[in-house]
């Protein structure tokens, strides 16, 4: 049994490494293989990114680099083994020119070796742990990193009389980044971290940790939870009366996610948070994007949608530059791209393959009966602080 498994793995490795080389070169069609959580706990990420990909294709056509583009979307249910298997099938059977999507860090990490072995550019549109881009030289990111958001918010906290904090994060990669980079920066500037709390990624229960927060009596609670958990967290925060107990809530923008923000109610109003995208971002490019996205999908785009939309731009422009070729030529054409995203100006750093972008400080406000993240400050052209060590 074990020998058979080893044989299958060895054969697959050969297929991944050699079976696909140049398949895109002979064909008039290039395929993009997108792996996303369309079901399960992270399904809103899949729904947002798929909506954005469809919008990009509707607006820009199905041709790039002189070839017809075909997008194949697969549902991994945010199970990393499934992500890896689906990515492998897309490379070996469908001979995709690029992989894209990746809703959570473990899914991106599980797929990195496939990208490396097959020399297939892999565009991470959602997952945001700093180390992902170091897992394969073929990974390029269009989302953000948790250190970007956490450092930006820590600097704001230090300047705004927040001295004692408790941190609360999801217990996996992006949570570890958020906790470390927030705590390190806050303490560097004379703040104090009273306690570091974590909740499980799957089916978290916030009651026990919120009781600990109440007992610790910090000036502020700093929170990172992955997109999709914000509304449940806010509900419990209010139910336990923490909003009335003088404990200020501050967060990464994942918690005040545009996908759920309008369902959160008044508890969210006034929450200061840091992120790279708000549907309320005041630019002509964003207004056009939001209007078109809402018309096509009947819901508000969040930061995941923008990661997907910009990821499609990255692939299309790179295909134009490589004249439809994949592999190293396509990867090279992704590095160093600069463009105007709905979030503002962005750069794909040629050295790190990670995104350089403005990180905004925002406050949740009610306007015309709707909740929005209103930007009031920014750290300009921020690189991933996770890469500077
Ligand atoms: C991740 O798993 O990397 C992740 C998922 C959702 C987020 C942020 C990070 O909102």
């Amino acid at each position: 049994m074990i020998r058979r498994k080893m044989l299958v793995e060895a054969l697959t490795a050969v297929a991944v490494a050699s079976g696909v080389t140049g398949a895109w070169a002979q064909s008039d069609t290039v395929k993009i293989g997108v792996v996303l959580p369309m079901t399960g706990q992270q399904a809103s990420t899949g729904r947002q990114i798929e909506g954005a990909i469809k919008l990009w294709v509707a607006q820009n056509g199905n041709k790039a680099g002189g070839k017809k583009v075909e997008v194949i979307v697969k549902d991994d249910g945010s199970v990393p083994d499934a992500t890896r298997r689906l990515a492998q099938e897309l490379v070996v059977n469908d001979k995709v020119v690029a992989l894209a999507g990746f809703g959570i860090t473990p899914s991106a990490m599980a797929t990195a070796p496939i990208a490396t072995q097959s020399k297939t550019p892999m565009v991470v549109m959602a997952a945001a742990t700093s180390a992902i881009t170091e897992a394969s030289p073929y990974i390029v990111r269009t989302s953000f990193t948790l250190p970007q958001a956490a450092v930006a918010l820590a600097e704001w906290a230090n300047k705004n009389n927040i001295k004692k904090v408790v941190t609360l994060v999801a217990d996996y990669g992006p949570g570890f980044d958020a906790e470390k980079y927030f705590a390190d920066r806050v303490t560097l500037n004379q703040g104090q971290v009273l306690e570091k709390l974590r909740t499980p990624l799957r089916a978290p229960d916030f009651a026990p940790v919120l009781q600990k927060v109440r007992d610790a009596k910090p000036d502020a609670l700093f929170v990172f939870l992955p997109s999709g958990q914000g509304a449940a967290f806010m509900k419990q925060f209010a139910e336990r009366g923490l909003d009335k107990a003088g404990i200020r809530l501050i967060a990464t923008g994942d918690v005040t996610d545009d996908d759920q923000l309008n369902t959160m109610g008044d508890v969210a109003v006034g929450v200061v948070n840091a992120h790279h995208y708000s549907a309320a971002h005041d630019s002509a490019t964003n207004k056009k994007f939001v209007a078109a996205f809402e018309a096509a999908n009947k819901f508000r785009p969040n930061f995941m949608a923008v990661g997907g939309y910009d990821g499609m731009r990255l692939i299309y422009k790179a295909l134009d530059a490589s004249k439809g070729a994949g592999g190293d030529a396509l990867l090279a054409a992704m590095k160093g791209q600069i463009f105007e995203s709905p979030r503002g100006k962005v750069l794909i750093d040629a050295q790190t393959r990670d995104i350089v972008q403005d990180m905004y400080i925002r406050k949740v406000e009610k306007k015309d009966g709707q909740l929005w993240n209103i930007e009031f400050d920014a750290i300009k052209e921020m690189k991933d602080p996770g890469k500077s060590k």
Side-chain angles (χ1 to χ4, degrees):
M1 197 47 203
I2 290 175
R3 282 194 54 176
R4 194 168 150 224
K5 188 163 176 272
M6 280 168 64
L7 183 66
V8 170
E9 278 177 5
L11 288 174
T12 306
V14 170
V16 167
S18 64
V20 298
T21 312
W24 27 260
Q26 291 106 45
S27 172
D28 295 340
T29 302
V30 285
K31 296 179 188 169
I32 301 171
V34 183
V35 191
L36 285 169
M38 302 304 303
T39 53
Q41 194 178 273
Q42 303 316 122
S44 66
T45 296
R47 179 168 47 83
Q48 286 274 350
I49 294 180
E50 188 186 41
I53 289 173
K54 286 196 172 145
L55 177 62
W56 174 270
V57 175
Q59 290 176 331
N60 296 278
N62 63 350
K63 283 202 124 178
K67 297 196 177 185
K68 185 164 173 268
V69 177
E70 190 185 319
V71 180
I72 307 170
V73 178
K74 300 277 182 187
D75 173 20
D76 65 7
S78 81
V79 176
D81 281 347
T83 320
R84 186 191 161 94
R85 177 178 51 76
L86 291 166
Q88 187 165 295
E89 286 170 11
L90 285 164
V91 166
V92 174
N93 301 338
D94 297 295
K95 308 195 183 341
V96 295
V97 77
L99 290 164
F102 309 102
I104 57 169
T105 290
S107 289
M109 288 301 201
T111 309
I114 308 275
T116 306
Q117 285 163 28
S118 66
K119 299 186 190 295
T120 306
M122 169 172 158
V123 178
V124 174
M125 296 170 157
T129 301
S130 174
I132 289 172
T133 42
E134 285 153 350
S136 167
Y138 287 86
I139 291 180
V140 181
R141 173 154 42 202
T142 57
S143 53
F144 75 111
T145 77
L146 264 307
Q148 285 178 325
V151 167
L153 189 63
E155 294 208 339
W156 176 86
N158 285 132
K159 286 187 225 136
N160 286 274
N161 217 24
I162 291 172
K163 306 244 183 295
K164 294 182 180 167
V165 296
V166 170
T167 61
L168 169 59
V169 301
D171 194 6
Y172 77 120
F176 305 155
D177 272 2
E179 180 187 273
K180 176 178 166 28
Y181 282 86
F182 184 83
D184 283 0
R185 184 58 62 109
V186 150
T187 47
L188 185 73
N189 293 327
Q190 274 72 52
Q192 202 186 337
V193 179
L194 303 177
E195 212 163 338
K196 294 178 178 174
L197 304 168
R198 294 177 179 180
T199 47
L201 169 62
R202 314 271 172 197
D205 175 8
F206 303 114
V209 286
L210 287 175
Q211 188 54 47
K212 287 189 183 164
V213 175
R214 198 178 239 286
D215 296 344
K217 297 192 178 58
D219 299 329
L221 170 64
F222 164 74
V223 184
F224 160 74
L225 296 167
S227 179
Q229 295 189 3
F233 170 78
M234 289 285 185
K235 188 161 175 273
Q236 291 204 26
F237 188 83
E239 273 169 11
R240 281 163 198 278
L242 269 86
D243 55 337
K244 310 248 158 37
I247 298 169
R248 186 149 191 195
L249 182 60
I250 58 176
T252 67
D254 310 77
V255 179
T256 56
D257 182 346
D258 271 303
D259 190 75
Q260 295 188 325
L261 188 58
N262 259 325
T263 68
M264 291 183 193
D266 285 348
V267 60
V269 173
V271 172
V272 171
N273 64 90
H275 232 205
H276 55 295
Y277 178 69
S278 165
H281 179 65
D282 192 10
S283 75
T285 303
N286 186 50
K287 289 201 169 94
K288 253 176 72 187
F289 169 72
V290 173
F293 187 97
E294 286 186 339
N297 297 296
K298 313 283 173 249
F299 52 87
R300 190 193 285 185
N302 72 354
F303 63 99
M304 295 298 188
V306 170
Y309 192 73
D310 289 349
M312 287 301 287
R313 170 195 298 268
L314 186 75
I315 298 169
Y316 264 54
K317 299 294 167 199
L319 281 169
D320 285 344
S322 76
K323 301 196 169 50
D328 288 324
L330 188 62
L331 179 72
M334 290 181 179
K335 294 178 183 176
Q337 279 196 32
I338 296 176
F339 56 91
E340 172 76 18
S341 155
R343 70 188 100 177
K345 196 178 116 193
V346 300
L347 155 74
I348 302 300
D349 186 317
Q351 261 75 51
T352 62
R353 290 162 279 103
D354 223 329
I355 190 158
V356 180
Q357 58 192 335
D358 295 350
M359 269 289 145
Y360 304 93
I361 311 296
R362 309 99 56 93
K363 190 188 239 173
V364 178
E365 290 178 22
K366 199 181 242 176
K367 287 197 170 163
D368 304 325
Q370 291 208 42
L371 298 186
W372 300 95
N373 289 295
I374 304 295
E375 297 162 353
F376 63 88
D377 203 356
I379 298 185
K380 291 283 188 192
E381 297 177 16
M382 194 179 193
K383 287 189 169 196
D384 172 28
K387 304 286 189 313
S388 51
K389 297 203 180 74

